[in-house]
Amino acid sequence: MKVYLDNNATTLVDPHVFEAMEPFFVQKYGNPNSLHAFAGETHPHIKTAMEKIYAGINAKKEDSVVITSCATESNNWVLKSVYFEYILTGRKNHIIVSEVEHPSIIATAKFIESMGCRVTYLPINNEGLIEAQSVRDNITNKTALVSVMWANNETGAIFPIEEIGAICEEKKVLFHTDAVQAIGKLPINIQTFNVDYLTFSAHKFHGPKGVGALYMKKGKELMPLLHGGAQMGGHRSGTLNVPGIIGMGKAMEQAVDALDFEMSEIREMRDHFEDELLKIEDTFVVTPREKRTPNTILISFRGIEGESMLWDLNRAGIGASTGSACASEDLEANSVMEAIGADEDLAHTAIRFSLSRYTTQEELDYTLDVVKKAVARLREISSSYSYAPDGHKSGLTAGH
Ligand code: PLP
């Protein structure tokens, strides 16, 4: 059996999305910026797709939703343009990010830090959450931007975006949120609270890879990161990725339609699966499930290297992760587990299971069975996990 439980890394392209994109490779392939019928025939389709994308986050017509090549580009754009417009010019000298942002924020923050910007990395608490008060405490009159993700890719932890947005509005600081892990998992209505910039990426909600977006509130438009032919209303140069835009539009529409299912059925399946996993001795989950996206579990199995567990799972046809896919070639401790101050033993044992609307109960039952066998096998050979005198395994410290 093959089971894909790594949907926070990427998702399968929904067949309807694929079908919607297909004509734009071989038939309707014109460059939308050309001045002939090949271009013109793409226009109504792009317009419809853009309307679906705007509707998906409830952006206003006058706001800008700019299509990018990925969320990494959108995140780089926000931080680098804020650096050019506000820091380099001397108007401000400081930005705030959380310490558990995706590498596309952290690495960019470190880059602009190396160029002279002061950066505060907000810590998470022992539930893996950011506290809005810590944003307030760190804002100065020289702070240009706060960037805090909507939901964390590793734990699924949902951050207090509404409260942070309100603090930024009050303090007149720009607010960006990376909503990559929130779209399709949580209701997103940017009119209900203060967000100046919002990042998302199609491949995380059953759309194609290589297409993302940056929402910019009217009046808060940033200078372009990519200069050139001034496509996308001058906000981002580069020939439009027409199939990508069509695919993201369709995927967004479907994500909105499937949201109730995600928040009820998928959540229930996740909760049941998690309950069963937690019955295994010495297992540990950081963030309470009601404070998490409905599809995600980050669970530690004391005494078992995450990578060894992945190996066993992979041999049984199951795809999971030890955290961010971008970092999983390194045998490093899980960064969120490190950030909450989990001891080494636990930080190296975290496995992330992320479900999607395509996940079935049968797949989860099979995975549970494989996990139980892998835990027994790996603890048997583990040097950091010891036998209790009665022959039962017991962890080094108390379990979950
Ligand atoms: N932000 C978050 C929270 C993510 O989980 C990811 C992907 O893992 C990204 C940004 C980067 O997305 P992309 O692959 O579109 O660059």
Side-chain angles (χ1 to χ4, degrees):
M1 190 172 197
K2 278 178 98 180
V3 182
Y4 186 72
L5 289 174
D6 200 12
N7 288 282
N8 285 8
T10 198
T11 55
L12 79 78
V13 174
D14 183 290
H16 293 108
V17 169
F18 183 60
E19 196 185 318
M21 292 171 69
E22 248 189 316
F24 297 90
F25 289 101
V26 180
Q27 292 154 292
K28 299 180 176 145
Y29 52 82
N31 181 335
N33 285 84
S34 301
L35 297 175
H36 44 62
F38 292 90
E41 68 181 354
T42 65
H43 292 174
H45 300 281
I46 294 172
K47 184 168 177 287
T48 307
M50 289 304 295
E51 282 166 2
K52 290 175 182 168
I53 295 167
Y54 270 69
I57 57 171
N58 199 20
K60 288 187 181 156
K61 261 197 188 131
E62 57 269 31
D63 299 328
S64 301
V65 179
V66 182
I67 305 304
T68 60
S69 62
C70 57
T72 297
E73 181 190 328
S74 305
N75 287 346
N76 268 259
W77 183 2
V78 175
L79 267 62
K80 287 178 181 166
S81 291
V82 164
Y83 172 74
F84 284 125
E85 284 185 61
Y86 295 87
I87 314 289
L88 196 59
T89 53
R91 289 157 72 189
K92 306 277 178 179
N93 68 8
H94 177 224
I95 69 160
I96 298 173
V97 302
S98 88
E99 66 174 344
V100 291
E101 294 298 305
H102 185 266
S104 53
I105 291 285
I106 297 291
T108 311
K110 290 209 184 304
F111 172 70
I112 66 170
E113 196 173 21
S114 76
M115 307 291 279
C117 179
R118 194 166 75 79
V119 182
T120 300
Y121 300 90
L122 295 176
I124 48 172
N125 65 20
N126 59 8
E127 288 191 335
L129 297 167
I130 291 291
E131 286 166 18
Q133 184 60 35
S134 69
V135 174
R136 184 182 289 282
D137 294 345
N138 282 285
I139 289 179
T140 75
N141 60 4
K142 284 290 197 181
T143 307
L145 173 80
V146 171
S147 179
V148 173
M149 67 206 323
W150 197 309
N152 183 264
N153 41 308
E154 299 188 27
T155 54
I158 302 167
F159 292 157
I161 296 308
E162 184 166 2
E163 286 162 85
I164 296 173
I167 293 168
C168 290
E169 192 168 27
E170 181 195 321
K171 300 278 185 185
K172 299 194 170 29
V173 172
L174 297 172
F175 178 43
H176 167 243
T177 183
D178 173 346
V180 165
Q181 296 292 343
I183 302 266
K185 297 170 189 157
L186 302 170
I188 306 290
N189 178 354
I190 44 177
Q191 299 312 326
T192 53
F193 45 84
N194 173 55
V195 175
D196 296 311
Y197 310 109
L198 179 131
T199 290
F200 53 98
S201 184
H203 75 100
K204 305 286 183 170
F205 52 97
H206 302 288
K209 294 167 185 60
V211 56
L214 180 67
Y215 158 89
M216 298 188 282
K217 190 189 268 176
K218 182 179 164 43
K220 301 287 179 73
E221 297 84 357
L222 293 166
M223 58 175 277
L225 180 67
L226 301 187
H227 295 87
Q231 287 90 344
M232 281 267 129
H235 292 303
R236 183 197 185 264
S237 295
T239 301
L240 266 58
N241 173 1
V242 180
I245 295 170
I246 305 296
M248 180 149 69
K250 187 72 187 165
M252 181 65 98
E253 181 183 57
Q254 296 208 313
V256 171
D257 286 350
L259 191 57
D260 284 346
F261 181 77
E262 185 87 25
M263 293 178 68
S264 52
E265 261 95 325
I266 301 300
R267 181 185 293 277
E268 252 173 56
M269 277 167 64
R270 187 274 311 263
D271 288 354
H272 176 69
F273 182 51
E274 186 170 319
D275 286 340
E276 292 301 312
L277 289 172
L278 286 170
K279 284 182 189 161
I280 301 170
E281 214 180 330
D282 285 332
T283 49
F284 179 84
V285 171
V286 177
T287 308
R289 56 179 72 159
E290 65 282 0
K291 295 179 185 168
R292 266 186 274 143
T293 46
N295 76 321
T296 307
I297 305 171
L298 181 72
I299 183 163
S300 291
F301 299 90
R302 192 179 285 281
I304 297 173
E305 277 286 343
E307 283 74 15
S308 314
M309 173 67 99
L310 279 193
W311 173 257
D312 274 26
L313 294 178
N314 188 43
R315 266 196 324 192
I318 299 163
S321 143
T322 51
S324 174
C326 317
S328 51
E329 277 159 26
D330 322 327
L331 279 186
E332 280 177 4
N334 180 281
S335 58
V336 175
M337 297 296 287
E338 273 192 324
I340 62 159
D343 60 51
E344 272 264 307
D345 186 24
L346 276 183
H348 280 271
T349 66
I351 295 285
R352 182 185 68 188
F353 297 103
S354 46
L355 286 59
S356 83
R357 61 179 189 256
Y358 289 95
T359 306
T360 65
Q361 190 54 50
E362 195 193 356
E363 290 174 343
L364 294 180
D365 292 344
Y366 169 72
T367 304
L368 184 65
D369 199 45
V370 172
V371 169
K372 282 182 184 164
K373 287 183 183 135
V375 168
R377 187 184 88 79
L378 293 165
R379 282 188 176 158
E380 196 72 39
I381 57 172
S382 167
S383 57
S384 64
Y385 199 82
S386 57
Y387 272 112
D390 63 358
H392 290 293
K393 291 277 193 182
S394 81
L396 300 176
T397 58
H400 56 91

